[in-house]
Amino acid sequence: MRPFFFLECEMRPLVKVIDVAALRHNVRVLRQQAGAAKLVAVVKADAYGHGVANVLPALTDVDGFAVASMDEALQLRQLGVGQPVLLLEGIFAADEAALCAQHDFVPCVHSPEQLAWLRGVDGISAWVKVDSGMHRLGFAAADAASWLPQVLSLQQVRWLGVASHFACADAEDLSDAQAQLARLDALALPAGWQRCLANSAALFALPEARGEVVRAGLALYGMSPFADGDAARLGLRPVLSLQTQVLAVRRLQAGDFAGYSHGFQAQVAGNLATIALGYGDGFPRAIVSGAVQLLLNGKRYPLVGRVAMDMALLWLGEDTAAVGDAVLVFGEGNPAERVAAQAATIPYTLTTMLTARVRAEVVDG
Ligand SMILES: *Cc1c(COP(=O)(O)O)cnc(C)c1O
């Protein structure tokens, strides 16, 4: 632990505060939502930017983890994870098959190439990835008669069942997701095969898609995948709060410009705060001046001008602020879903794109 004075004096004030109490709360909510299905925590991309090592201690009560690569899976084992680890895209090369057997990683198998890589390797459990309409990965649902015999010919693999992914489970109109589900229902599968289908959106919007295993990412971190962006409606609490501070405040006169390329021009006289937040931290640069609002001293102020690598500007109008005043970029009180909508992006990107230089501070409640 660094002493408090060191934090105050020496460190850039931008910090992602990870609330593990909120995370444990969300696990309970998702478990309830999942019913009898097993809950797999999706922790790819460094737990959506939250930091895998930060979140793991609060995820003891999940049935497994899902990641996107062998590196991410091995990191989980290094951190002491004992539960099964699902490889969402399966293995990327033949030599990863032996690693699956050795470390008890459970690959999705989406292609004939991946099937060939597993041939002859003992001790692997796997899911067959079915393309039910997303058209990204998987064996086509309509062609089961051609691929199922090939799959079953690998008798040494313990086939758990089918995995699939919804393209539009977050949509108001669920007919596309229901069509995907109908294609999966139409498959003639061996007895005892399980289903691993639902992401966060399907878990809430399409209970009939829960199957035996669900895979939740965004909701685990307390964010809503739906257009209303209201995680509280789902009973979830945001885990990550991105906090920073005011570095300087200056008075602009009407007509004054600020920032690179004079990206902001004051229409009237007022106060401008410079804050520690930039695209070097992973905050999006491609936002419209004035569109995104951040919380400072209990009030929302527009982010104006061009976001620079290390700094951004808040227009305070006739209000003022002191150097060192706390600014909530997003998190509890200024939901990431709302900031994402203002920034014309999705909450997934706001946390996932945070760069390594953003300090993490883990709090419990
Ligand atoms: C990332 C991912 C998930 C998790 O999705 P959320 O919307 O974050 O719950 C589930 N399944 C697959 C295949 C994924 O790639």
Side-chain angles (χ1 to χ4, degrees):
M1 283 290 282
R2 288 193 170 90
F4 186 64
F5 67 85
F6 186 80
L7 272 168
E8 286 291 286
C9 302
E10 300 284 344
M11 294 192 125
R12 190 156 173 268
L14 183 71
V15 57
K16 54 180 180 186
V17 178
I18 308 297
D19 181 355
V20 290
L23 193 55
R24 286 194 301 266
H25 166 85
N26 296 338
V27 170
R28 286 193 292 274
V29 171
L30 295 184
R31 271 220 173 281
Q32 197 160 17
Q33 194 66 29
K38 288 187 172 163
L39 175 64
V40 166
V42 182
V43 295
K44 60 190 177 185
D46 204 23
Y48 291 37
H50 292 63
V52 155
N54 300 327
V55 302
L56 278 182
L59 294 177
T60 48
D61 190 33
V62 298
D63 301 301
F65 293 91
V67 294
S69 72
M70 185 57 69
D71 284 340
E72 292 179 336
L74 288 168
Q75 186 193 11
L76 290 179
R77 287 285 179 258
Q78 272 158 15
L79 290 167
V81 164
Q83 290 102 320
V85 176
L86 174 64
L87 297 170
L88 291 165
E89 291 146 57
I91 59 177
F92 293 84
D95 56 3
E96 292 187 355
L99 287 170
C100 288
Q102 186 185 338
H103 296 283
D104 192 20
F105 298 148
V106 181
C108 289
V109 177
H110 68 72
S111 67
E113 292 79 7
Q114 288 185 330
L115 267 183
W117 295 336
L118 295 188
R119 192 169 291 282
V121 182
D122 284 331
I124 294 182
S125 298
W127 295 92
V128 183
K129 173 95 170 186
V130 175
D131 180 0
S132 57
M134 179 82 158
H135 297 336
R136 218 167 50 166
L137 293 179
F139 296 99
D143 288 346
S146 69
W147 53 258
L148 191 56
Q150 295 174 46
V151 167
L152 294 174
S153 76
L154 271 72
Q155 289 173 11
Q156 90 288 2
V157 173
R158 183 169 164 255
W159 295 108
L160 300 177
V162 291
S164 197
H165 195 42
F166 293 106
C168 305
D170 59 329
E172 203 146 310
D173 177 358
L174 288 169
S175 53
D176 184 79
Q178 275 151 353
Q180 283 193 251
L181 198 54
R183 286 177 207 120
L184 292 160
D185 284 338
L187 293 174
L189 297 174
W193 272 35
Q194 303 173 42
R195 297 212 219 188
C196 179
L197 311 178
N199 57 0
S200 295
L203 178 56
F204 284 95
L206 213 63
E208 62 270 39
R210 282 181 299 200
E212 282 72 34
V213 182
V214 301
R215 314 179 297 261
L218 194 73
L220 190 66
Y221 307 106
M223 295 179 278
S224 168
F226 302 110
D228 70 357
D230 187 359
R233 173 176 70 83
L234 309 176
L236 302 169
R237 285 166 47 190
V239 173
L240 190 153
S241 289
L242 186 64
Q243 301 177 2
T244 190
Q245 288 179 7
V246 172
L247 300 179
V249 181
R250 64 212 343 84
R251 181 87 185 160
L252 297 193
Q253 299 307 316
D256 282 353
F257 292 99
Y260 279 119
S261 309
H262 287 174
F264 173 67
Q265 185 176 31
Q267 299 305 301
V268 294
N271 297 316
L272 185 74
T274 303
I275 64 171
L277 173 73
Y279 61 80
D281 305 303
F283 196 79
R285 180 181 176 280
I287 57 176
V288 175
S289 177
V292 173
Q293 298 204 321
L294 309 189
L295 201 65
L296 163 66
N297 297 329
K299 221 171 136 177
R300 288 195 172 75
Y301 294 101
L303 201 58
V304 295
R306 298 265 171 97
V307 173
M309 192 180 292
D310 318 304
M311 286 177 276
L313 304 169
L314 278 186
W315 180 245
L316 308 184
E318 276 312 311
D319 293 345
T320 191
V323 169
D325 278 356
V327 175
L328 177 66
V329 182
F330 58 80
E332 184 94 59
N334 198 32
E337 297 92 323
R338 173 187 185 135
V339 172
Q342 292 168 345
T345 182
I346 54 174
Y348 295 79
T349 71
L350 288 184
T351 61
T352 304
M353 290 180 69
L354 293 174
T355 57
R357 82 171 182 189
V358 179
R359 239 167 354 108
E361 197 179 301
V362 178
V363 300
D364 195 344

